[in-house]
Amino acid sequence: MSQFFQIHPVNPQARLIKQAAQIIHGGGIVAVPTDSCYALVCHLDDKGAVERLRRLRGIDEKHHLTLLCRDLSELGVYARVDNRQFRLLKAATPGPFTFILEATKCVPRRLSHPSRKTIGLRVPEDAIINALLSELDQPLLGTTLIMPDEIDPLNDADEICARLGKQLELIIDGGACSMEPTTVIDLTGPDAELVRQGRGDATAFGL
C-alpha cells in the first residue's frame, strides 16, 4: 500500500518533504498536487520508475513526459532556448504551462520524443512541488494523473488512494487542486503552436 502524507499547501512540512524525496530517490512513484492538477512524478534518472510510470498512464515512448524544473536557469540545462523563446518563457513562468522544446544532450534519450528529440518542460507555481524540487536539487519527471481511457484527471487524494494505492509508493494530499491540466505550447517552430488548451492563458503567446 502507498504511504499517505497530508502536506500543508502553503507551508509544506520539511520533515515530510524530506521523506517524500527519499521515496523518490528509492525508485518510488508519487502522486502530487501541482498548480494545475495532480501529477505522477518519479526520479529523472530511474529507468525502471519511468517505465512503470508509462505503464500506469497507458502511454508509449511517443507521449511526451514532462520535466518539472525549479526555474528557467534549470530548464535551460535540458532544453535549447533562443532569445525569442526565453522571452516567452519568462513571461509565463512559473505557471500552469508545459512547453515543448528541443532537448539538449543532458536529457536521457529514453525521455525525449524518439523522432523529434523534443521534451516537455514546465516551471510550476506550487509550494509542495517546489519544496520537493528544492529538496531533490534536480528536476522531477512527471505526467498528468489521467487514467488510461479516461478524459478527466484525478483530483482527490482519497480517490487516488482508492484506485492506485497498491501501485504507488506515496500519495501526497495537499488538498483538491484544479481539474484542468496544463496548457501545452510547442515552441520548436518559428511560431508558438497551441497543442492543448488547459489552465494557462495562451493569449500571452498570441494564441
Side-chain angles (χ1 to χ4, degrees), residues 122-157:
R122 67 172 299 216
V123 180
E125 187 176 27
D126 178 88
I128 293 175
I129 195 72
N130 278 299
L132 196 51
L133 289 169
S134 293
E135 179 66 31
L136 288 163
D137 196 30
Q138 69 178 105
L140 277 165
L141 191 69
T143 182
T144 303
L145 208 176
I146 302 175
M147 299 301 292
D149 302 318
E150 297 186 15
I151 297 174
D152 295 324
L154 298 183
N155 186 47
D156 179 79

Short mmCIF file of all heavy atoms in Angstrom, two decimals, residues 122-157:
data_model
loop_
_atom_site.label_atom_id
_atom_site.label_comp_id
_atom_site.label_asym_id
_atom_site.label_seq_id
_atom_site.Cartn_x
_atom_site.Cartn_y
_atom_site.Cartn_z
N ARG A 122 8.28 22.27 -17.71
CA ARG A 122 7.44 23.27 -17.05
C ARG A 122 8.08 23.73 -15.76
O ARG A 122 8.92 23.02 -15.17
CB ARG A 122 6.04 22.75 -16.81
CG ARG A 122 5.90 21.61 -15.81
CD ARG A 122 4.43 21.31 -15.52
NE ARG A 122 3.76 22.47 -14.94
CZ ARG A 122 2.83 22.40 -14.00
NH1 ARG A 122 2.41 21.24 -13.56
NH2 ARG A 122 2.28 23.49 -13.50
N VAL A 123 7.72 24.95 -15.36
CA VAL A 123 8.14 25.52 -14.08
C VAL A 123 6.87 25.77 -13.28
O VAL A 123 6.17 26.76 -13.52
CB VAL A 123 8.93 26.84 -14.28
CG1 VAL A 123 9.36 27.39 -12.93
CG2 VAL A 123 10.14 26.61 -15.18
N PRO A 124 6.51 24.88 -12.37
CA PRO A 124 5.23 25.01 -11.66
C PRO A 124 5.26 26.09 -10.59
O PRO A 124 6.31 26.45 -10.06
CB PRO A 124 5.04 23.63 -11.03
CG PRO A 124 6.43 23.11 -10.85
CD PRO A 124 7.24 23.66 -11.99
N GLU A 125 4.07 26.59 -10.28
CA GLU A 125 3.90 27.57 -9.20
C GLU A 125 3.08 26.90 -8.10
O GLU A 125 1.86 27.07 -8.01
CB GLU A 125 3.21 28.83 -9.71
CG GLU A 125 3.17 29.95 -8.68
CD GLU A 125 2.57 31.22 -9.25
OE1 GLU A 125 1.76 31.14 -10.18
OE2 GLU A 125 2.91 32.30 -8.76
N ASP A 126 3.74 26.10 -7.29
CA ASP A 126 3.06 25.34 -6.25
C ASP A 126 4.06 25.08 -5.14
O ASP A 126 5.18 24.62 -5.38
CB ASP A 126 2.53 24.02 -6.82
CG ASP A 126 1.86 23.16 -5.76
OD1 ASP A 126 0.65 23.32 -5.54
OD2 ASP A 126 2.57 22.34 -5.13
N ALA A 127 3.67 25.36 -3.90
CA ALA A 127 4.61 25.28 -2.78
C ALA A 127 5.09 23.86 -2.53
O ALA A 127 6.27 23.63 -2.25
CB ALA A 127 3.96 25.85 -1.52
N ILE A 128 4.21 22.87 -2.64
CA ILE A 128 4.60 21.49 -2.34
C ILE A 128 5.59 20.97 -3.38
O ILE A 128 6.65 20.44 -3.03
CB ILE A 128 3.36 20.58 -2.26
CG1 ILE A 128 2.50 20.96 -1.05
CG2 ILE A 128 3.78 19.11 -2.17
CD1 ILE A 128 1.19 20.19 -0.96
N ILE A 129 5.25 21.12 -4.64
CA ILE A 129 6.13 20.57 -5.68
C ILE A 129 7.46 21.32 -5.71
O ILE A 129 8.52 20.72 -5.92
CB ILE A 129 5.43 20.59 -7.06
CG1 ILE A 129 6.17 19.68 -8.06
CG2 ILE A 129 5.29 21.97 -7.61
CD1 ILE A 129 6.02 18.23 -7.83
N ASN A 130 7.44 22.62 -5.43
CA ASN A 130 8.69 23.37 -5.42
C ASN A 130 9.56 23.02 -4.22
O ASN A 130 10.79 22.99 -4.33
CB ASN A 130 8.41 24.87 -5.49
CG ASN A 130 8.15 25.34 -6.90
OD1 ASN A 130 9.00 25.22 -7.77
ND2 ASN A 130 6.96 25.86 -7.15
N ALA A 131 8.94 22.74 -3.07
CA ALA A 131 9.71 22.27 -1.92
C ALA A 131 10.37 20.93 -2.22
O ALA A 131 11.52 20.68 -1.83
CB ALA A 131 8.80 22.16 -0.69
N LEU A 132 9.65 20.08 -2.92
CA LEU A 132 10.18 18.77 -3.29
C LEU A 132 11.33 18.90 -4.28
O LEU A 132 12.37 18.23 -4.16
CB LEU A 132 9.05 17.92 -3.87
CG LEU A 132 9.25 16.41 -4.00
CD1 LEU A 132 9.72 15.78 -2.71
CD2 LEU A 132 7.94 15.77 -4.47
N LEU A 133 11.18 19.79 -5.26
CA LEU A 133 12.26 20.03 -6.23
C LEU A 133 13.50 20.58 -5.54
O LEU A 133 14.63 20.20 -5.87
CB LEU A 133 11.78 21.00 -7.31
CG LEU A 133 10.74 20.46 -8.29
CD1 LEU A 133 10.16 21.59 -9.13
CD2 LEU A 133 11.34 19.38 -9.19
N SER A 134 13.31 21.46 -4.57
CA SER A 134 14.45 22.03 -3.85
C SER A 134 15.15 20.96 -3.02
O SER A 134 16.39 20.92 -2.95
CB SER A 134 13.98 23.17 -2.94
OG SER A 134 13.52 24.26 -3.70
N GLU A 135 14.38 20.08 -2.39
CA GLU A 135 14.96 19.02 -1.58
C GLU A 135 15.75 18.04 -2.45
O GLU A 135 16.84 17.59 -2.08
CB GLU A 135 13.86 18.28 -0.81
CG GLU A 135 14.35 17.13 0.06
CD GLU A 135 15.22 17.59 1.22
OE1 GLU A 135 15.02 18.71 1.73
OE2 GLU A 135 16.13 16.82 1.60
N LEU A 136 15.21 17.72 -3.62
CA LEU A 136 15.89 16.80 -4.54
C LEU A 136 17.09 17.44 -5.22
O LEU A 136 18.02 16.76 -5.63
CB LEU A 136 14.91 16.30 -5.60
CG LEU A 136 13.83 15.32 -5.14
CD1 LEU A 136 12.71 15.26 -6.16
CD2 LEU A 136 14.43 13.94 -4.93
N ASP A 137 17.03 18.77 -5.40
CA ASP A 137 18.08 19.53 -6.08
C ASP A 137 18.25 19.09 -7.53
O ASP A 137 19.35 19.08 -8.07
CB ASP A 137 19.41 19.41 -5.33
CG ASP A 137 20.42 20.48 -5.76
OD1 ASP A 137 19.97 21.57 -6.15
OD2 ASP A 137 21.63 20.21 -5.71
N GLN A 138 17.15 18.72 -8.17
CA GLN A 138 17.14 18.39 -9.59
C GLN A 138 15.69 18.29 -10.05
O GLN A 138 14.78 18.22 -9.22
CB GLN A 138 17.86 17.07 -9.86
CG GLN A 138 17.14 15.84 -9.32
CD GLN A 138 17.87 14.56 -9.66
OE1 GLN A 138 18.49 13.96 -8.80
NE2 GLN A 138 17.81 14.14 -10.90
N PRO A 139 15.44 18.30 -11.37
CA PRO A 139 14.07 18.21 -11.85
C PRO A 139 13.43 16.86 -11.53
O PRO A 139 14.11 15.87 -11.26
CB PRO A 139 14.21 18.40 -13.37
CG PRO A 139 15.52 19.06 -13.57
CD PRO A 139 16.40 18.53 -12.47
N LEU A 140 12.13 16.85 -11.57
CA LEU A 140 11.34 15.63 -11.49
C LEU A 140 10.77 15.33 -12.86
O LEU A 140 10.51 16.23 -13.67
CB LEU A 140 10.18 15.81 -10.51
CG LEU A 140 10.46 15.60 -9.03
CD1 LEU A 140 9.31 16.16 -8.20
CD2 LEU A 140 10.67 14.12 -8.73
N LEU A 141 10.56 14.05 -13.13
CA LEU A 141 9.87 13.65 -14.35
C LEU A 141 8.42 13.39 -14.00
O LEU A 141 8.12 12.71 -13.02
CB LEU A 141 10.52 12.39 -14.92
CG LEU A 141 10.07 12.03 -16.33
CD1 LEU A 141 10.59 13.05 -17.33
CD2 LEU A 141 10.57 10.64 -16.70
N GLY A 142 7.50 13.97 -14.77
CA GLY A 142 6.10 13.83 -14.39
C GLY A 142 5.16 13.73 -15.58
O GLY A 142 5.53 13.97 -16.73
N THR A 143 3.91 13.39 -15.25
CA THR A 143 2.84 13.33 -16.24
C THR A 143 1.52 13.56 -15.52
O THR A 143 1.37 13.20 -14.34
CB THR A 143 2.82 11.97 -16.98
OG1 THR A 143 1.78 11.98 -17.97
CG2 THR A 143 2.59 10.81 -16.02
N THR A 144 0.58 14.19 -16.18
CA THR A 144 -0.73 14.45 -15.60
C THR A 144 -1.38 13.13 -15.17
O THR A 144 -1.31 12.14 -15.88
CB THR A 144 -1.65 15.15 -16.63
OG1 THR A 144 -1.01 16.35 -17.07
CG2 THR A 144 -2.99 15.49 -16.02
N LEU A 145 -2.02 13.13 -14.00
CA LEU A 145 -2.61 11.91 -13.48
C LEU A 145 -3.99 11.69 -14.10
O LEU A 145 -5.03 11.98 -13.52
CB LEU A 145 -2.71 11.95 -11.95
CG LEU A 145 -2.66 10.60 -11.23
CD1 LEU A 145 -2.67 10.78 -9.71
CD2 LEU A 145 -3.71 9.62 -11.66
N ILE A 146 -3.96 11.20 -15.33
CA ILE A 146 -5.17 10.79 -16.04
C ILE A 146 -5.06 9.29 -16.29
O ILE A 146 -4.05 8.82 -16.82
CB ILE A 146 -5.33 11.53 -17.38
CG1 ILE A 146 -5.37 13.05 -17.16
CG2 ILE A 146 -6.59 11.08 -18.11
CD1 ILE A 146 -5.39 13.86 -18.45
N MET A 147 -6.06 8.54 -15.90
CA MET A 147 -6.02 7.10 -16.06
C MET A 147 -6.25 6.70 -17.51
O MET A 147 -6.88 7.43 -18.28
CB MET A 147 -7.07 6.44 -15.15
CG MET A 147 -6.85 6.71 -13.67
SD MET A 147 -5.25 6.13 -13.08
CE MET A 147 -5.48 4.35 -13.23
N PRO A 148 -5.74 5.54 -17.93
CA PRO A 148 -5.95 5.08 -19.30
C PRO A 148 -7.43 5.05 -19.67
O PRO A 148 -8.28 4.64 -18.87
CB PRO A 148 -5.36 3.66 -19.28
CG PRO A 148 -4.36 3.68 -18.17
CD PRO A 148 -4.93 4.60 -17.13
N ASP A 149 -7.74 5.52 -20.87
CA ASP A 149 -9.10 5.52 -21.43
C ASP A 149 -10.04 6.47 -20.69
O ASP A 149 -11.26 6.38 -20.83
CB ASP A 149 -9.70 4.11 -21.44
CG ASP A 149 -8.86 3.13 -22.25
OD1 ASP A 149 -8.39 3.53 -23.34
OD2 ASP A 149 -8.68 1.99 -21.80
N GLU A 150 -9.49 7.39 -19.89
CA GLU A 150 -10.30 8.42 -19.25
C GLU A 150 -9.89 9.78 -19.76
O GLU A 150 -8.80 9.96 -20.31
CB GLU A 150 -10.17 8.34 -17.72
CG GLU A 150 -10.70 7.02 -17.14
CD GLU A 150 -10.70 6.99 -15.63
OE1 GLU A 150 -10.56 8.06 -15.00
OE2 GLU A 150 -10.84 5.88 -15.07
N ILE A 151 -10.75 10.76 -19.58
CA ILE A 151 -10.51 12.11 -20.08
C ILE A 151 -10.09 13.06 -18.97
O ILE A 151 -9.19 13.88 -19.12
CB ILE A 151 -11.77 12.65 -20.79
CG1 ILE A 151 -12.11 11.79 -22.02
CG2 ILE A 151 -11.56 14.11 -21.22
CD1 ILE A 151 -13.42 12.16 -22.68
N ASP A 152 -10.77 12.96 -17.82
CA ASP A 152 -10.53 13.90 -16.73
C ASP A 152 -9.45 13.40 -15.78
O ASP A 152 -9.38 12.21 -15.48
CB ASP A 152 -11.82 14.12 -15.94
CG ASP A 152 -12.91 14.80 -16.76
OD1 ASP A 152 -12.55 15.66 -17.58
OD2 ASP A 152 -14.08 14.45 -16.58
N PRO A 153 -8.60 14.31 -15.30
CA PRO A 153 -7.58 13.91 -14.33
C PRO A 153 -8.20 13.61 -12.97
O PRO A 153 -9.27 14.11 -12.64
CB PRO A 153 -6.67 15.15 -14.26
CG PRO A 153 -7.54 16.29 -14.65
CD PRO A 153 -8.52 15.75 -15.64
N LEU A 154 -7.51 12.78 -12.19
CA LEU A 154 -7.93 12.55 -10.81
C LEU A 154 -7.53 13.77 -9.98
O LEU A 154 -6.45 14.33 -10.15
CB LEU A 154 -7.26 11.29 -10.26
CG LEU A 154 -7.61 9.98 -10.98
CD1 LEU A 154 -6.95 8.80 -10.28
CD2 LEU A 154 -9.11 9.77 -11.07
N ASN A 155 -8.41 14.16 -9.06
CA ASN A 155 -8.22 15.42 -8.36
C ASN A 155 -8.30 15.30 -6.85
O ASN A 155 -8.03 16.26 -6.14
CB ASN A 155 -9.29 16.43 -8.85
CG ASN A 155 -9.10 17.81 -8.30
OD1 ASN A 155 -7.99 18.33 -8.33
ND2 ASN A 155 -10.15 18.42 -7.79
N ASP A 156 -8.68 14.13 -6.35
CA ASP A 156 -8.89 13.95 -4.92
C ASP A 156 -7.94 12.88 -4.40
O ASP A 156 -7.89 11.77 -4.93
CB ASP A 156 -10.34 13.55 -4.67
CG ASP A 156 -10.63 13.33 -3.19
OD1 ASP A 156 -10.81 14.33 -2.47
OD2 ASP A 156 -10.63 12.16 -2.77
N ALA A 157 -7.18 13.21 -3.35
CA ALA A 157 -6.17 12.29 -2.84
C ALA A 157 -6.77 10.98 -2.35
O ALA A 157 -6.18 9.91 -2.52
CB ALA A 157 -5.37 12.96 -1.73
#
